[in-house]
Amino acid sequence: MSLYIETETEVSFSFEWEKLAEEVINFTIDHEKFPYEAEINLTLTDNEGIHEINKTYRQIDRPTDVLSFPMLSYETAGDFLKLEDDYDDNFNPDTGEIMLGDILISVEKVREQAESFGHSEKREFAFLIVHSMLHLFGYDHMTPEEAAVMEAKQNEILNEMNILR
């Protein structure tokens, strides 16, 4: 797995956030039984930066906590069977890894939400990465049924990693 990290703001968490990001991404890939080596881009930004991206790409004029930009489309979330046949263009020719997509996280929102929800910044950061990885695997939360599946997976992954509230 290749993880490319970019920071657009100061990141001064009290935990080893780069190591945690890699662990959470790898664990989620294994948990979901993703059958390929993957390439993921992670950008940490501030509220202003994520606000602009949210406005540009989603027409939502406010900052958000995390944005996911999947490179793949799925008929069924988490069904990876057709990826090799349908997505030759999504494999990096230099590494052979499939390009899953981009994750953008607002460092300010991590802090705000951790305080608001009464848990650690580490837990919030890990949660946002799991949430975004599930989006990169085709999961969504637009309907109550989809949300229930996604929430159950998020909780299961974080509990198995012992990253608790």
Side-chain angles (χ1 to χ4, degrees):
M1 188 266 306
S2 294
L3 174 60
Y4 300 100
I5 298 175
E6 183 178 340
T7 56
E8 298 177 346
T9 191
E10 182 182 339
V11 183
S12 58
F13 293 126
S14 64
F15 55 92
E16 295 180 52
W17 63 270
E18 290 180 70
K19 181 180 176 192
L20 180 64
E22 188 169 345
E23 289 172 357
V24 170
I25 288 169
N26 274 319
F27 192 92
T28 305
I29 286 170
D30 291 345
H31 184 273
E32 292 302 300
K33 298 176 178 54
F34 188 71
Y36 304 102
E37 289 297 314
E39 178 179 307
I40 297 110
N41 299 305
L42 172 63
T43 302
L44 278 78
T45 190
D46 56 17
N47 282 347
E48 183 179 330
I50 209 161
H51 181 170
E52 187 61 36
I53 295 165
N54 205 22
K55 185 176 178 182
T56 300
Y57 292 97
R58 297 178 64 223
Q59 292 71 53
I60 298 175
D61 192 11
R62 63 178 168 77
T64 189
D65 51 4
V66 64
L67 291 170
S68 310
F69 294 96
M71 294 290 291
L72 308 174
S73 297
Y74 302 89
E75 287 181 28
T76 304
D79 181 0
F80 310 121
L81 295 177
K82 294 188 176 187
L83 292 182
E84 193 167 338
D85 296 335
D86 296 344
Y87 292 104
D88 286 340
D89 293 340
N90 286 55
F91 285 89
N92 182 324
D94 296 328
T95 65
E97 295 174 321
I98 198 164
M99 297 177 284
L100 273 179
D102 300 328
I103 299 170
L104 287 89
I105 294 176
S106 168
V107 172
E108 290 173 275
K109 286 289 184 185
V110 170
R111 290 193 174 101
E112 291 168 16
Q113 292 178 175
E115 184 175 332
S116 173
F117 296 132
H119 55 238
S120 69
E121 291 177 0
K122 177 181 176 180
R123 198 274 181 194
E124 186 65 19
F125 183 72
F127 168 81
L128 293 175
I129 291 174
V130 171
H131 182 87
S132 196
M133 285 297 296
L134 291 173
H135 278 308
L136 298 186
F137 290 147
Y139 293 95
D140 212 338
H141 44 82
M142 298 304 288
T143 68
E145 295 80 15
E146 290 174 338
V149 168
M150 196 163 171
E151 288 171 18
K153 286 186 173 288
Q154 291 167 168
N155 290 333
E156 186 176 307
I157 291 166
L158 291 168
N159 287 341
E160 287 178 19
M161 292 190 74
N162 201 32
I163 302 175
L164 309 173
R165 288 190 152 189

